[in-house]
Amino acid sequence: MEAKDYLQDIQDIKQMMSQSSRFISLSGLSGVLAGVYCLIGAWLAYKTIYVDDTTFNAYDEIVTSDTAIKLFCIAASVVILSLVTCIVLCYRKATKSNEKFWNPTAKRLVINFNIPLLTGGFFILFLIEKEMLTLVAPLMLIFYGLACVNASKYTLGDVRYLGISMILLGLVSTWFLNYGLLFWALGFGVCHILYGGIMYFKYDRN
């Protein structure tokens, strides 16, 4: 009995250490909803770019300054909706589990996530200024994937595999630059829904 008690104590200590070093209130459902928002955004972007059933090969000729502004508004809306949904659902999950939502681990998670993300964001803005638009979608996937991998050590391990999937999709899409929007939808839409669903069934359901 004493040996079993010691083993149980060790497991409890390991669990407490894991909880203190990882942000475990990440909501899988927020990932699913973010994926849905991204698919809707991708469809709106497609309708904005290819208004006359134009082929994918004319991508550079179709994206004018007016179109770029519309695409920026769509992307900004998707990002804002995803962020608000993530914050609300993660806060609700933390409250339900009697966990503190904004703690030192959450701060480290945000910092480590934003370092690659902001670096990629500034680099992509430079490419947009230089009108090198075909590289935007692959680099968005790659830098977002790097951000997920970099932040995964502070949250659920599934985020690491999401990041690796994003990086691989981004690298593959460099061979198919005219299909950037399709890969963008696969990465930010389908992958988010897939991994968000896995995380929901593994961690969120009681």
Side-chain angles (χ1 to χ4, degrees):
M1 291 294 294
E2 291 183 359
K4 290 183 179 180
D5 291 338
Y6 285 134
L7 289 174
Q8 184 62 44
D9 291 340
I10 292 172
Q11 289 177 355
D12 291 340
I13 292 171
K14 287 176 65 177
Q15 184 177 3
M16 286 188 293
M17 290 178 64
S18 176
Q19 289 178 349
S20 64
S21 62
R22 289 178 179 268
F23 182 75
I24 60 174
S25 297
L26 194 63
S27 171
L29 184 58
S30 67
V32 174
L33 292 175
V36 172
Y37 300 152
C38 289
L39 288 179
I40 295 172
W43 180 78
L44 291 174
Y46 176 84
K47 300 298 287 186
T48 301
I49 297 172
Y50 306 106
V51 289
D52 297 319
D53 294 329
T54 314
T55 61
F56 283 96
N57 293 328
Y59 181 83
D60 287 324
E61 299 176 4
I62 299 170
V63 180
T64 62
S65 57
D66 291 338
T67 305
I69 293 173
K70 292 179 182 178
L71 293 176
F72 177 81
C73 292
I74 293 170
S77 300
V78 170
V79 171
I80 292 170
L81 276 172
S82 299
L83 282 175
V84 171
T85 301
C86 181
I87 292 171
V88 170
L89 292 181
C90 289
Y91 178 80
R92 189 176 71 176
K93 182 179 177 181
T95 303
K96 187 178 179 180
S97 304
N98 295 320
E99 300 283 344
K100 189 176 180 180
F101 174 68
W102 188 244
N103 53 36
T105 305
K107 294 176 185 177
R108 288 193 294 269
L109 169 65
V110 171
I111 291 171
N112 281 272
F113 182 78
N114 279 314
I115 290 173
L117 196 68
L118 293 178
T119 302
F122 281 112
F123 184 54
I124 289 169
L125 286 176
F126 172 78
L127 293 181
I128 292 173
E129 182 186 0
K130 300 300 180 182
E131 298 184 354
M132 301 172 67
L133 301 176
T134 54
L135 292 172
V136 170
L139 288 176
M140 286 179 70
L141 290 166
I142 290 171
F143 278 105
Y144 182 81
L146 291 172
C148 288
V149 171
N150 197 47
S152 63
K153 55 182 174 290
Y154 298 106
T155 186
L156 305 175
D158 303 77
V159 174
R160 179 179 181 84
Y161 300 108
L162 171 63
I164 292 172
S165 300
M166 291 285 193
I167 293 170
L168 292 175
L169 268 176
L171 292 174
V172 171
S173 68
T174 58
W175 274 276
F176 304 95
L177 291 177
N178 290 325
Y179 295 87
L181 185 59
L182 175 61
F183 280 95
W184 193 92
L186 287 174
F188 292 104
V190 176
C191 283
H192 267 141
I193 293 173
L194 176 62
Y195 282 97
I198 292 172
M199 290 168 62
Y200 175 78
F201 286 105
K202 282 179 67 175
Y203 307 110
D204 293 359
R205 289 203 312 173
N206 294 323

